[in-house]
C-alpha cells in the first residue's frame, strides 16, 4: 500500500511537469493525472497510510475512511471534467494552479493530522487565487486581492485554533472536535470562512464571477466542499450549524433574484446549496450526514455543469450579464441543453441528481420535528428553482433576443459538459452506487409517490409564480447594478480604516515634525550653538566691567567674542576659560 | 453561419408551451388526491400543500427581493 504515492501528490507533482510538456502530449498527460489519482483511490482500503515522522509528530497523509473516500472520488472526477473543459486553454499558469488546487482539495480530504491539513488548506487558498488572477483584468486582480486577504484571515484563525488545540491535547491527529473552548471556535471560524457561513460568505460571490472561464469550474467545486468535508468530520451535530445553514439557504436567493451577472447568480445559489449541507451537518443524524455528503457529491457535478455552460457563453460571446445576453438557444442549443440539465439538477427535479440527495437533508429535518427549519428549507428549495433553475437558463438562452449570434464552444468543452450532464441524470436514475459509498448505510427511498408529486408541485407552482410575474411585468427588471452585502464592511470599512489611519498617523507625523523637528530640535540647536558664547560672555562681561570696559567698547568686545566662537578662532585664554566653566558645570551636575 | 433554432420566435409555439405547462399543473393538482402520504407534519399530508407552498414561496421571494433592492441596490461602479 505504502509503495503508492498519495493521490494528492499525483496532482501536485504532476503540476510541476506541465510547463515542460507541449502539444497533444500535454493534454493527455493532464487528463491522466486524475485518472491515476482515481485508480489509486479505488485501490485504497480503509486505514491510515503515508505516515511521515516530522518534528516529534506523525503526519498522516492518508486517513482513509468512508467519509474521506466520497470526497476523494468526487474531487478527482470533477478534476478530470475541469481539465477536459480547460484543455484548449493556452495558459500554463491556469493549468498548474488548477492541478495544485485539486491536489490541495484531495489532500485535505485525506489529511489525518492538523499539520498536513493546514498545508493543503493553504495550498487551496493560494492556488485558487491564481485562477482568479489569470483572468488578467483589473476587476479580477482586485477581487483576487480581496479573496486572498479574506482567506489569509481564515487560515490564520484555523492556525491559531490548531496551535491551541495541539497545546491542549498534545496530539496533532484530529477527528471530531465539537464547539467548546477557544481552540475549537477558532478552528470552526477558519472552516466556516471557506464554507461561506455568514457573515464570512461574501468573498464567494465577489471572487468567483471574476475568475477565468475554466477556473470558475474548479473554484465552484473544491474550496467550499473541502470545508463541508472538514465540518462534517470535526463538527457534526453542532446546533449552530443548523441555523447558519438555514440562513444560508434563504438569504442568498433574494440576492440571486436581483443579480445581473449570471455567474454571480450561480455564486449565490452555491451558498444556498452549501447551506443545505451545513444544515445537514448540524442536524448530525446518519440520514442528514448521508444527505450532506451525497448532496456535496451531486452539487459538485451540477454546479460545475452550470459554471461550464455559462462559462461557455462568456467564452464565446465575452458577455455574461442578463442585460447583455439572451436568445442564445438559437445558436448554442447543446450548451443550452446542458445548462438546463444542471438547472434541473440543482432544483432537485425528479430524475435529476439533486432530487436523490437534497431530500435526505430535508427529511432529516422533518424526522427531527424541526418545523421552522423544514419550512425554510422547502422555501429555499422553491427559491433555488426560481433563480438557478429558471432565471439562469431563461435569461441566458431565452428571454429577450440580444441579437448575438455565435456557435457552440469547442468539442472538449461540450464533452466535459456532456459527461457532467450524463452523471447528473445517471445518479438520479441509479442512485444506489452513490448511496453505497456514503458514510452510513442508506435506507432512504427517494422515489415515493408523495415525494415525487410533492416536489413537482413545489417546483412547478414556483415556476407558475415566475411565469405570471414575468408576464405581468412585476418581476424585478434586469438592471446594471450591484447589491450590497456584508463585504461592504471590509470594502468600504477598509477604506474608512485607511482614511482614519491616514489622517491620524500622518497628522501625528506632521505634528511631530512641527514640534520636534521644526521646534524643539531647532531650539536645542540654537541653544547648543549659542551656549559657548553665552557661557563665555557670562564669565567675561563681569570681568570686563570691573576692569572699566563699558559702553561702545563693551559692545565691540562682546561682538568680538561672538565672532571668534562662531568661527572657532577664539584666543587660547577664552577657550581655556570656557572649558573650565564647562567642567565646573559638569562637576556640579554630577 | 449555421442554421438557427427559432422555435420560440413563433408566438403560437410559446402559447403551446404555456398551455402544456398549465395542463401539467392541473394534472399535478388532480394526482395529489390519489397519493398515499406518510407525513411527519400534519400539514405536509394536506392535499396540494406543496403547490400552495411553492407558489406562495416564490411570490413572497419576489416581493421581499423587490423590497430588498430598495436598500441594497447601488451603482455598478459603487466600489471603484
Amino acid at each position: 500500500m505504502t509503495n503508492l504515492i498519495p493521490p494528492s501528490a499525483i496532482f501536485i507533482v504532476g503540476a510541476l511537469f506541465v510547463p515542460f510538456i507541449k502539444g497533444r502530449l500535454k493534454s493527455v498527460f493532464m487528463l491522466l493525472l486524475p485518472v491515476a489519482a482515481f485508480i489509486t483511490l479505488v485501490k485504497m482500503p480503509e486505514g491510515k497510510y503515508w505516515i511521515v515522522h516530522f518534528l516529534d509528530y506523525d503526519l498522516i497523509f492518508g486517513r482513509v475512511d468512508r467519509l474521506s473516500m466520497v470526497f476523494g472520488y468526487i474531487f478527482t472526477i470533477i478534476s478530470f471534467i475541469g481539465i477536459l473543459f480547460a484543455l484548449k486553454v493556452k495558459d500554463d499558469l491556469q493549468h498548474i494552479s488548477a492541478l495544485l488546487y485539486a491536489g490541495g482539495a484531495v489532500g485535505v480530504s485525506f489529511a489525518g493530522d492538523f499539520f498536513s491539513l493546514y498545508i493543503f488548506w493553504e495550498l487551496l487558498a493560494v492556488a485558487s487565487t491564481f485562477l482568479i488572477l489569470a483572468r488578467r483584468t483589473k476587476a479580477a486582480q482586485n477581487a483576487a486581492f480581496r479573496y486572498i486577504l479574506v482567506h489569509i484571515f481564515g487560515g490564520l484563525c484555523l492556525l491559531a485554533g490548531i496551535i491551541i488545540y495541539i497545546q491542549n491535547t498534545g496530539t496533532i491527529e484530529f477527528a471530531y472536535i465539537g464547539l467548546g473552548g477557544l481552540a475549537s471556535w477558532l478552528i470552526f471560524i477558519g472552516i466556516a470562512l471557506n464554507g461561506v457561513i455568514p457573515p464570512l460568505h461574501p468573498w464567494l460571490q465577489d471572487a468567483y464571477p471574476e475568475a477565468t472561464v475554466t477556473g470558475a469550474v474548479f473554484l465552484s467545486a473544491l474550496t467550499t466542499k473541502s470545508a463541508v468535508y472538514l465540518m462534517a468530520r470535526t463538527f457534526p451535530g453542532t446546533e449552530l450549524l443548523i441555523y447558519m445553514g438555514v440562513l444560508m439557504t434563504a438569504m442568498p436567493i433574494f440576492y440571486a433574484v436581483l443579480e445581473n451577472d449570471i455567474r454571480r447568480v450561480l455564486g449565490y445559489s452555491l451558498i444556498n446549496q452549501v447551506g443545505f449541507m451545513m444544515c445537514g451537518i448540524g442536524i448530525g443524524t446518519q440520514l442528514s450526514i448521508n444527505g450532506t455528503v451525497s448532496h456535496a457529491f451531486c452539487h459538485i457535478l451540477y454546479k460545475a455543469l452550470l459554471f461550464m455552460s455559462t462559462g461557455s457563453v462568456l467564452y464565446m460571446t465575452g458577455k455574461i450579464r442578463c442585460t447583455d445576453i439572451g436568445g442564445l438557444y438559437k445558436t448554442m442549443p447543446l450548451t443550452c441543453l446542458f445548462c438546463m440539465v444542471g438547472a434541473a439538477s440543482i432544483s432537485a427535479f425528479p430524475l435529476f441528481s439533486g432530487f436523490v440527495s437534497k431530500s435526505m437533508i430535508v427529511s432529516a429535518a422533518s424526522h427531527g420535528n424541526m418545523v421552522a427549519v423544514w419550512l425554510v428549507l422547502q422555501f429555499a428549495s422553491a427559491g433555488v428553482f426560481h433563480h438557478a433553475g429558471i432565471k439562469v437558463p431563461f435569461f441566458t438562452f431565452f428571454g429577450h433576443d440580444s441579437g448575438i449570434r455565435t456557435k457552440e464552444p469547442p468539442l472538449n468543452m461540450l464533452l466535459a459538459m456532456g459527461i457532467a450532464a450524463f452523471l447528473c441524470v445517471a445518479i438520479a436514475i441509479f442512485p444506489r452506487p452513490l448511496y453505497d459509498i456514503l458514510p452510513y448505510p442508506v435506507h432512504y427511498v427517494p422515489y415515493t409517490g408523495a415525494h415525487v408529486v410533492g416536489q413537482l408541485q413545489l417546483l412547478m407552482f414556483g415556476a407558475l409564480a415566475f411565469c405570471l410575474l414575468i408576464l405581468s411585468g412585476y418581476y424585478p427588471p434586469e438592471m446594471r447594478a450591484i447589491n450590497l452585502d456584508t463585504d461592504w464592511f471590509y470594502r468600504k470599512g477598509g477604506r474608512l480604516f485607511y482614511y482614519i489611519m491616514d489622517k491620524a498617523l500622518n497628522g501625528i507625523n506632521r505634528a511631530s515634525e512641527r514640534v520636534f523637528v521644526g521646534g524643539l530640535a531647532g531650539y536645542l540647536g540654537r541653544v547648543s550653538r549659542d551656549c559657548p558664547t553665552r557661557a563665555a560672555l557670562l564669565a567675561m562681561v563681569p570681568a570686563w566691567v570691573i576692569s572699566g570696559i563699558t559702553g561702545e567698547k563693551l559692545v565691540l568686545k562682546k561682538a568680538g567674542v561672538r565672532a571668534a566662537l562662531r568661527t572657532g578662532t577664539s584666543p587660547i585664554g577664552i577657550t581655556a576659560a570656557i572649558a573650565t566653566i564647562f567642567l565646573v558645570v559638569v562637576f556640579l551636575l554630577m | 453561419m449555421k442554421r438557427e433554432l427559432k422555435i420560440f420566435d413563433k408566438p403560437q409555439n410559446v402559447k403551446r408551451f404555456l398551455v402544456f405547462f398549465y395542463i401539467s399543473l392541473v394534472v399535478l393538482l388532480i394526482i395529489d388526491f390519489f397519493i398515499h402520504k406518510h407525513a411527519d407534519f400534519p400539514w405536509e399530508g394536506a392535499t396540494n400543500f406543496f403547490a400552495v407552498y411553492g407558489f406562495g414561496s416564490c411570490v413572497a421571494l419576489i416581493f421581499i427581493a423587490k423590497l430588498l433592492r430598495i436598500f441594497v441596490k447601488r451603482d455598478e461602479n459603487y466600489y471603484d
Side-chain angles (χ1 to χ4, degrees), chain A residues 457-476:
Chain A
Q457 281 198 347
L458 188 79
L459 299 178
M460 294 293 269
F461 280 84
L464 176 67
F466 181 86
C467 206
L468 296 179
L469 290 165
I470 281 270
L471 291 175
S472 65
Y474 195 77
Y475 194 86

PDB file of all heavy atoms in Angstrom, chain A residues 457-476:
ATOM      1  N   GLN A 457     -44.901  19.538  -7.420  1.00  0.00           N
ATOM      2  CA  GLN A 457     -45.834  20.646  -7.139  1.00  0.00           C
ATOM      3  C   GLN A 457     -45.079  21.880  -6.656  1.00  0.00           C
ATOM      4  O   GLN A 457     -45.319  22.985  -7.121  1.00  0.00           O
ATOM      5  CB  GLN A 457     -46.840  20.209  -6.070  1.00  0.00           C
ATOM      6  CG  GLN A 457     -47.969  19.350  -6.598  1.00  0.00           C
ATOM      7  CD  GLN A 457     -49.137  19.307  -5.622  1.00  0.00           C
ATOM      8  OE1 GLN A 457     -49.017  19.717  -4.473  1.00  0.00           O
ATOM      9  NE2 GLN A 457     -50.270  18.815  -6.095  1.00  0.00           N
ATOM     10  N   LEU A 458     -44.160  21.640  -5.731  1.00  0.00           N
ATOM     11  CA  LEU A 458     -43.386  22.754  -5.174  1.00  0.00           C
ATOM     12  C   LEU A 458     -42.682  23.518  -6.293  1.00  0.00           C
ATOM     13  O   LEU A 458     -42.722  24.752  -6.350  1.00  0.00           O
ATOM     14  CB  LEU A 458     -42.347  22.206  -4.181  1.00  0.00           C
ATOM     15  CG  LEU A 458     -41.584  23.230  -3.358  1.00  0.00           C
ATOM     16  CD1 LEU A 458     -42.438  23.711  -2.197  1.00  0.00           C
ATOM     17  CD2 LEU A 458     -40.287  22.643  -2.814  1.00  0.00           C
ATOM     18  N   LEU A 459     -42.057  22.765  -7.201  1.00  0.00           N
ATOM     19  CA  LEU A 459     -41.268  23.401  -8.249  1.00  0.00           C
ATOM     20  C   LEU A 459     -42.150  24.007  -9.336  1.00  0.00           C
ATOM     21  O   LEU A 459     -41.950  25.153  -9.755  1.00  0.00           O
ATOM     22  CB  LEU A 459     -40.301  22.387  -8.866  1.00  0.00           C
ATOM     23  CG  LEU A 459     -39.272  21.776  -7.912  1.00  0.00           C
ATOM     24  CD1 LEU A 459     -38.404  20.752  -8.624  1.00  0.00           C
ATOM     25  CD2 LEU A 459     -38.388  22.853  -7.296  1.00  0.00           C
ATOM     26  N   MET A 460     -43.125  23.242  -9.772  1.00  0.00           N
ATOM     27  CA  MET A 460     -43.936  23.709 -10.907  1.00  0.00           C
ATOM     28  C   MET A 460     -44.790  24.916 -10.526  1.00  0.00           C
ATOM     29  O   MET A 460     -44.989  25.817 -11.336  1.00  0.00           O
ATOM     30  CB  MET A 460     -44.823  22.572 -11.424  1.00  0.00           C
ATOM     31  CG  MET A 460     -44.038  21.431 -12.036  1.00  0.00           C
ATOM     32  SD  MET A 460     -43.214  21.905 -13.554  1.00  0.00           S
ATOM     33  CE  MET A 460     -44.457  21.483 -14.752  1.00  0.00           C
ATOM     34  N   PHE A 461     -45.274  24.935  -9.301  1.00  0.00           N
ATOM     35  CA  PHE A 461     -46.071  26.102  -8.908  1.00  0.00           C
ATOM     36  C   PHE A 461     -45.177  27.302  -8.594  1.00  0.00           C
ATOM     37  O   PHE A 461     -45.606  28.442  -8.719  1.00  0.00           O
ATOM     38  CB  PHE A 461     -47.026  25.736  -7.765  1.00  0.00           C
ATOM     39  CG  PHE A 461     -48.255  25.032  -8.275  1.00  0.00           C
ATOM     40  CD1 PHE A 461     -48.231  23.659  -8.505  1.00  0.00           C
ATOM     41  CD2 PHE A 461     -49.403  25.733  -8.591  1.00  0.00           C
ATOM     42  CE1 PHE A 461     -49.340  23.000  -9.015  1.00  0.00           C
ATOM     43  CE2 PHE A 461     -50.521  25.080  -9.107  1.00  0.00           C
ATOM     44  CZ  PHE A 461     -50.494  23.703  -9.320  1.00  0.00           C
ATOM     45  N   GLY A 462     -43.925  27.005  -8.223  1.00  0.00           N
ATOM     46  CA  GLY A 462     -42.937  28.084  -8.130  1.00  0.00           C
ATOM     47  C   GLY A 462     -42.704  28.664  -9.517  1.00  0.00           C
ATOM     48  O   GLY A 462     -42.622  29.885  -9.716  1.00  0.00           O
ATOM     49  N   ALA A 463     -42.628  27.766 -10.515  1.00  0.00           N
ATOM     50  CA  ALA A 463     -42.456  28.204 -11.909  1.00  0.00           C
ATOM     51  C   ALA A 463     -43.662  29.017 -12.374  1.00  0.00           C
ATOM     52  O   ALA A 463     -43.518  29.993 -13.114  1.00  0.00           O
ATOM     53  CB  ALA A 463     -42.248  26.994 -12.808  1.00  0.00           C
ATOM     54  N   LEU A 464     -44.833  28.595 -11.919  1.00  0.00           N
ATOM     55  CA  LEU A 464     -46.056  29.344 -12.288  1.00  0.00           C
ATOM     56  C   LEU A 464     -45.959  30.781 -11.773  1.00  0.00           C
ATOM     57  O   LEU A 464     -46.295  31.735 -12.494  1.00  0.00           O
ATOM     58  CB  LEU A 464     -47.287  28.642 -11.700  1.00  0.00           C
ATOM     59  CG  LEU A 464     -48.623  29.360 -11.910  1.00  0.00           C
ATOM     60  CD1 LEU A 464     -48.995  29.378 -13.395  1.00  0.00           C
ATOM     61  CD2 LEU A 464     -49.738  28.702 -11.108  1.00  0.00           C
ATOM     62  N   ALA A 465     -45.468  30.918 -10.542  1.00  0.00           N
ATOM     63  CA  ALA A 465     -45.302  32.270  -9.979  1.00  0.00           C
ATOM     64  C   ALA A 465     -44.341  33.081 -10.845  1.00  0.00           C
ATOM     65  O   ALA A 465     -44.611  34.239 -11.179  1.00  0.00           O
ATOM     66  CB  ALA A 465     -44.778  32.185  -8.544  1.00  0.00           C
ATOM     67  N   PHE A 466     -43.235  32.463 -11.244  1.00  0.00           N
ATOM     68  CA  PHE A 466     -42.258  33.132 -12.109  1.00  0.00           C
ATOM     69  C   PHE A 466     -42.915  33.575 -13.409  1.00  0.00           C
ATOM     70  O   PHE A 466     -42.777  34.721 -13.861  1.00  0.00           O
ATOM     71  CB  PHE A 466     -41.105  32.159 -12.392  1.00  0.00           C
ATOM     72  CG  PHE A 466     -40.010  32.740 -13.260  1.00  0.00           C
ATOM     73  CD1 PHE A 466     -38.978  33.475 -12.699  1.00  0.00           C
ATOM     74  CD2 PHE A 466     -40.000  32.533 -14.647  1.00  0.00           C
ATOM     75  CE1 PHE A 466     -37.956  33.998 -13.497  1.00  0.00           C
ATOM     76  CE2 PHE A 466     -38.992  33.050 -15.439  1.00  0.00           C
ATOM     77  CZ  PHE A 466     -37.965  33.792 -14.859  1.00  0.00           C
ATOM     78  N   CYS A 467     -43.645  32.624 -13.989  1.00  0.00           N
ATOM     79  CA  CYS A 467     -44.312  32.859 -15.270  1.00  0.00           C
ATOM     80  C   CYS A 467     -45.291  34.037 -15.180  1.00  0.00           C
ATOM     81  O   CYS A 467     -45.256  34.964 -15.997  1.00  0.00           O
ATOM     82  CB  CYS A 467     -45.065  31.575 -15.594  1.00  0.00           C
ATOM     83  SG  CYS A 467     -45.333  31.317 -17.294  1.00  0.00           S
ATOM     84  N   LEU A 468     -46.142  33.997 -14.163  1.00  0.00           N
ATOM     85  CA  LEU A 468     -47.160  35.042 -14.024  1.00  0.00           C
ATOM     86  C   LEU A 468     -46.517  36.403 -13.732  1.00  0.00           C
ATOM     87  O   LEU A 468     -46.943  37.429 -14.270  1.00  0.00           O
ATOM     88  CB  LEU A 468     -48.148  34.686 -12.901  1.00  0.00           C
ATOM     89  CG  LEU A 468     -48.991  33.428 -13.155  1.00  0.00           C
ATOM     90  CD1 LEU A 468     -49.917  33.158 -11.976  1.00  0.00           C
ATOM     91  CD2 LEU A 468     -49.808  33.568 -14.449  1.00  0.00           C
ATOM     92  N   LEU A 469     -45.464  36.387 -12.911  1.00  0.00           N
ATOM     93  CA  LEU A 469     -44.818  37.652 -12.557  1.00  0.00           C
ATOM     94  C   LEU A 469     -44.060  38.243 -13.743  1.00  0.00           C
ATOM     95  O   LEU A 469     -44.042  39.462 -13.940  1.00  0.00           O
ATOM     96  CB  LEU A 469     -43.874  37.450 -11.371  1.00  0.00           C
ATOM     97  CG  LEU A 469     -44.577  37.164 -10.036  1.00  0.00           C
ATOM     98  CD1 LEU A 469     -43.606  36.614  -9.005  1.00  0.00           C
ATOM     99  CD2 LEU A 469     -45.248  38.421  -9.503  1.00  0.00           C
ATOM    100  N   ILE A 470     -43.467  37.371 -14.564  1.00  0.00           N
ATOM    101  CA  ILE A 470     -42.774  37.855 -15.775  1.00  0.00           C
ATOM    102  C   ILE A 470     -43.798  38.430 -16.756  1.00  0.00           C
ATOM    103  O   ILE A 470     -43.631  39.537 -17.288  1.00  0.00           O
ATOM    104  CB  ILE A 470     -42.000  36.696 -16.455  1.00  0.00           C
ATOM    105  CG1 ILE A 470     -40.694  36.424 -15.717  1.00  0.00           C
ATOM    106  CG2 ILE A 470     -41.743  36.980 -17.922  1.00  0.00           C
ATOM    107  CD1 ILE A 470     -39.488  37.195 -16.201  1.00  0.00           C
ATOM    108  N   LEU A 471     -44.887  37.662 -16.974  1.00  0.00           N
ATOM    109  CA  LEU A 471     -45.896  38.101 -17.955  1.00  0.00           C
ATOM    110  C   LEU A 471     -46.579  39.391 -17.508  1.00  0.00           C
ATOM    111  O   LEU A 471     -46.936  40.232 -18.324  1.00  0.00           O
ATOM    112  CB  LEU A 471     -46.933  36.988 -18.177  1.00  0.00           C
ATOM    113  CG  LEU A 471     -46.404  35.739 -18.898  1.00  0.00           C
ATOM    114  CD1 LEU A 471     -47.476  34.654 -18.968  1.00  0.00           C
ATOM    115  CD2 LEU A 471     -45.928  36.082 -20.308  1.00  0.00           C
ATOM    116  N   SER A 472     -46.757  39.539 -16.174  1.00  0.00           N
ATOM    117  CA  SER A 472     -47.431  40.750 -15.689  1.00  0.00           C
ATOM    118  C   SER A 472     -46.463  41.925 -15.570  1.00  0.00           C
ATOM    119  O   SER A 472     -46.866  43.034 -15.245  1.00  0.00           O
ATOM    120  CB  SER A 472     -48.064  40.468 -14.326  1.00  0.00           C
ATOM    121  OG  SER A 472     -47.027  40.211 -13.386  1.00  0.00           O
ATOM    122  N   GLY A 473     -45.168  41.658 -15.804  1.00  0.00           N
ATOM    123  CA  GLY A 473     -44.178  42.739 -15.722  1.00  0.00           C
ATOM    124  C   GLY A 473     -43.813  43.107 -14.302  1.00  0.00           C
ATOM    125  O   GLY A 473     -43.182  44.120 -14.057  1.00  0.00           O
ATOM    126  N   TYR A 474     -44.230  42.253 -13.339  1.00  0.00           N
ATOM    127  CA  TYR A 474     -43.944  42.580 -11.952  1.00  0.00           C
ATOM    128  C   TYR A 474     -42.595  42.060 -11.509  1.00  0.00           C
ATOM    129  O   TYR A 474     -42.049  42.489 -10.498  1.00  0.00           O
ATOM    130  CB  TYR A 474     -45.052  42.021 -11.041  1.00  0.00           C
ATOM    131  CG  TYR A 474     -44.997  42.626  -9.663  1.00  0.00           C
ATOM    132  CD1 TYR A 474     -45.477  43.912  -9.427  1.00  0.00           C
ATOM    133  CD2 TYR A 474     -44.411  41.934  -8.607  1.00  0.00           C
ATOM    134  CE1 TYR A 474     -45.375  44.490  -8.181  1.00  0.00           C
ATOM    135  CE2 TYR A 474     -44.306  42.513  -7.343  1.00  0.00           C
ATOM    136  CZ  TYR A 474     -44.801  43.786  -7.145  1.00  0.00           C
ATOM    137  OH  TYR A 474     -44.688  44.359  -5.909  1.00  0.00           O
ATOM    138  N   TYR A 475     -42.023  41.141 -12.309  1.00  0.00           N
ATOM    139  CA  TYR A 475     -40.728  40.557 -11.931  1.00  0.00           C
ATOM    140  C   TYR A 475     -39.671  41.657 -11.909  1.00  0.00           C
ATOM    141  O   TYR A 475     -39.649  42.516 -12.794  1.00  0.00           O
ATOM    142  CB  TYR A 475     -40.352  39.465 -12.939  1.00  0.00           C
ATOM    143  CG  TYR A 475     -39.235  38.580 -12.469  1.00  0.00           C
ATOM    144  CD1 TYR A 475     -39.489  37.473 -11.667  1.00  0.00           C
ATOM    145  CD2 TYR A 475     -37.917  38.853 -12.811  1.00  0.00           C
ATOM    146  CE1 TYR A 475     -38.469  36.669 -11.215  1.00  0.00           C
ATOM    147  CE2 TYR A 475     -36.884  38.046 -12.364  1.00  0.00           C
ATOM    148  CZ  TYR A 475     -37.166  36.959 -11.568  1.00  0.00           C
ATOM    149  OH  TYR A 475     -36.148  36.157 -11.130  1.00  0.00           O
ATOM    150  N   PRO A 476     -38.777  41.664 -10.901  1.00  0.00           N
ATOM    151  CA  PRO A 476     -37.760  42.735 -10.846  1.00  0.00           C
ATOM    152  C   PRO A 476     -36.969  42.791 -12.153  1.00  0.00           C
ATOM    153  O   PRO A 476     -36.410  41.776 -12.576  1.00  0.00           O
ATOM    154  CB  PRO A 476     -36.850  42.312  -9.693  1.00  0.00           C
ATOM    155  CG  PRO A 476     -37.615  41.323  -8.901  1.00  0.00           C
ATOM    156  CD  PRO A 476     -38.592  40.683  -9.826  1.00  0.00           C
TER     157      PRO A 476
END
